[in-house]
Amino acid sequence: MSRLPADSVGLVTPQRHTFTEPLSLACGKQLPRYELVYETYGELNASASNAVLICHALSGHHHAAGYHSIDERKPGWWDNCIGPGKAIDTNRFFVVSLNNLGGCHGSTGPSSIDPATGKSYGASFPVLTVEDWVHSQARLADVLGVQQWAAVVGGSLGGMQALQWAISYPERIRHCVAIATAPKLSAQNIAFNEVARQAIITDPDFHNGDYAAFGVIPKRGLMLARMVGHITYLSDDSMGAKFGRDLRSDQLNYDLTSVEFEVESYLRYQGQEFSGRFDANTYLLMTKALDYFDPAGAHGGDLARTLAGIKARCLVMSFTTDWRFSPERSRELVDGLLAARKDVSYLEIEAAQGHDAFLLPIPRYIEALSGYMNRIEVSQ
Amino acid sequence: MSRLPADSVGLVTPQRHTFTEPLSLACGKQLPRYELVYETYGELNASASNAVLICHALSGHHHAAGYHSIDERKPGWWDNCIGPGKAIDTNRFFVVSLNNLGGCHGSTGPSSIDPATGKSYGASFPVLTVEDWVHSQARLADVLGVQQWAAVVGGSLGGMQALQWAISYPERIRHCVAIATAPKLSAQNIAFNEVARQAIITDPDFHNGDYAAFGVIPKRGLMLARMVGHITYLSDDSMGAKFGRDLRSDQLNYDLTSVEFEVESYLRYQGQEFSGRFDANTYLLMTKALDYFDPAGAHGGDLARTLAGIKARCLVMSFTTDWRFSPERSRELVDGLLAARKDVSYLEIEAAQGHDAFLLPIPRYIEALSGYMNRIEVSQ
């Protein structure tokens, strides 16, 4: 494009920090050193009271807003929410967005080179949990001079991180915004993740996770994982509205393997495109982090007790047609917060788009988020 | 077991008929000859007015009731509904259950030997539709001396066959019992089928459908197809009740590829077990038949017009937690039948088991089916 939109944060340059203090992980292992790549939008104020952390979901990354170059076709993944005058207003807030540890967009992950061996970690990269991420993010906050986040905000797996922040670091977060998420996965959620994992693991090009050493990637497995994931992000209604039973051509082919319907073609494309840009081990790791997330597990399943130490005010939002993390799952979280006598606002947004809604510019959703964020107090 | 249950149809022997008149198919091809394997339970009465056809679903077959041997561990797949004194009472009815054309349990299908080549059909086997099946079933009815079925009964894909019978052969069916089914697939339904197909097709052992020539089977693909299918047969609630977040062992393994939760183990087992006993081309064929089914398509989408010629009385049943073919989809069918001024009864059964409910002995369901079947008039 010839110039960037006026309400964009504009050109952004990812930054990188190397952490040399070992990080102890839930799995019992340690990462001796690691890098995190992140972006910031807006300015940290003098009292460092206006910092907002954005946590990404399964396939997300640090590039949440703005453009990496004038030629970039699409802005960051949450550009419709982050920018000057937008719901997360960069005129007010200093916004931080990172690629999580274990990711494949620049932070240390399975596809990174292990300095100990000179080869990529592959299968030897440790499994991470949401708690591990929050600890690594706390160290990033230290580096940035942020003692306390004005808010930690995230959807889906990102919402779990926001919640874990409120639990793990009650003094370091004033507002927790958890969107389209759940206090833990259901058996069905885990089952869908397991299908995705099995697709990857049984791909002959997976080589027990050390595919990089063989110069291949388990493309078929990743494609299938994305296809099944993608179905769970959309609602039955939105798929119906978008594709219905529309055919690819005028006539049916009547064979076992070719595409007949537009929805098949769309899914194949989504799967293939994804399989060329995402690391298979990272995909496994992200789904495992989702599965493991269960903060109440350490308190005998008592969510209210788990949330007892929270000091943050909470905003929980869900979407009516989201069946991956349905409104019912958000209400579990809200009920837990209420039982723990916490300050929580809950909004169920009428939206046809399923789980994907949390990424979309749905007016009532954006207005609600904007209203909440604008009321967050920020000293100078 | 030492003896068979008293309410069982007892020992049954599958029968087989070879059809030598070519069958013209919706895809434009012909099958010059084919065999159907079937079982019958009860006796055809003198007026041949008591015959009931059972149509099977995606992975079903002809063995619907009774035992093949005294040592058989499990009876036929719908034994809880078919037998003396049961909902489909073999003291009153002559019940016929076949393996559909294209199947892999004895009827001619992709894994059968093509007499023209002496090798298995594999990828050369023609794609079939629900209409093709109904025509092949009509020929089986002729062979059995059944001019008119007292009822055609089926769940899921079987329900589509029952409906197609009422449309294609209005004079040959008095009652149509369509359970847990839909007048056509939604985009989401097709999308799940496409994931299953892609899992099979992209398995390196698929060899474009001619895997038999290579002495292999695409086990990985079939396993994944079954896993994803299985999730859609169960409700979120029933998976939660059955597995919740129960762990396989006392401690988490914290690695990317091993099983942590019971539900993962269950799904892997289901997938692996299935992949050893079901033919991959048949699986593709069954999913394609589901996708293609859209009787109203030929009438500009006007379901009432499509159903205008039906003479059968219809019973439509759905289950509250079935999200593969939800009650809403059954109501579409009922609305179409009502708009066409047909005689239709509809019952939505409260059941936690999702789509699988149609196979289970849920008291209200069995009572309703039994009540309906018992009121079907049968002359001597």
Side-chain angles (χ1 to χ4, degrees), chain B residues 103-175:
Chain B
C104 55
H105 290 87
S107 292
T108 301
S111 53
S112 306
I113 300 298
D114 179 355
T117 65
K119 294 176 184 169
S120 71
Y121 285 96
S124 73
F125 196 81
V127 169
L128 298 172
T129 65
V130 170
E131 245 183 304
D132 294 331
W133 281 333
V134 166
H135 295 317
S136 71
Q137 290 161 358
R139 290 190 179 176
L140 179 62
D142 295 341
V143 167
L144 297 170
V146 175
Q147 177 49 36
Q148 184 188 63
W149 298 106
V152 180
V153 182
S156 195
L157 179 55
M160 294 174 180
Q161 295 164 60
L163 181 63
Q164 188 66 51
W165 258 101
I167 296 169
S168 296
Y169 295 100
E171 307 289 348
R172 301 194 67 175
I173 164 175
R174 295 205 301 283
H175 294 267

Side-chain angles (χ1 to χ4, degrees), chain A residues 197-348:
Chain A
R197 283 191 294 264
Q198 280 294 304
I200 291 169
I201 291 167
T202 63
D203 186 322
D205 286 336
F206 182 64
H207 295 290
N208 292 318
D210 289 326
Y211 42 87
F214 293 80
V216 292
I217 51 171
K219 263 186 95 80
R220 284 174 295 256
L222 260 174
M223 179 194 72
L224 291 168
R226 181 61 164 187
M227 286 173 74
V228 72
H230 204 87
I231 298 174
T232 70
Y233 303 150
L234 304 178
S235 70
D236 192 10
D237 283 354
S238 64
M239 289 188 100
K242 196 166 178 180
F243 305 107
R245 294 178 53 87
D246 293 349
L247 296 174
R248 279 289 282 173
S249 59
D250 294 345
Q251 274 195 306
L252 292 169
N253 297 305
Y254 286 118
D255 73 55
L256 291 180
T257 56
S258 73
V259 160
E260 301 280 19
F261 296 94
E262 287 287 357
V263 67
E264 298 172 88
S265 170
Y266 169 81
L267 268 189
R268 285 193 193 186
Y269 172 81
Q270 291 290 332
Q272 280 164 0
E273 188 271 338
F274 186 77
S275 70
R277 68 175 167 85
F278 205 86
D279 178 61
N281 283 318
T282 290
Y283 200 89
L284 297 178
L285 185 149
M286 295 283 166
T287 62
K288 283 287 186 184
L290 277 162
D291 286 7
Y292 289 136
F293 183 70
D294 181 15
H299 300 270
D302 186 337
L303 190 56
R305 193 143 60 89
T306 308
L307 304 172
I310 285 185
K311 298 193 170 177
R313 295 182 61 174
C314 299
L315 171 63
V316 177
M317 286 194 278
S318 67
F319 301 92
T320 47
T321 59
D322 183 352
W323 61 279
R324 189 178 172 101
F325 296 131
S326 70
E328 194 184 339
R329 311 304 312 282
S330 281
R331 284 195 295 266
E332 277 176 44
L333 176 54
V334 171
D335 289 347
L337 287 162
L338 289 174
R341 297 171 180 274
K342 301 300 162 184
D343 187 341
V344 55
S345 303
Y346 173 59
L347 200 60
E348 185 176 322

Side-chain angles (χ1 to χ4, degrees), chain A residues 194 202 220 260 268 292, chain B residues 194 202 220 260 268 292:
Chain A
E194 174 62 4
T202 63
R220 284 174 295 256
E260 301 280 19
R268 285 193 193 186
Y292 289 136
Chain B
E194 174 62 6
T202 63
R220 284 175 294 255
E260 300 280 19
R268 284 192 194 187
Y292 289 137

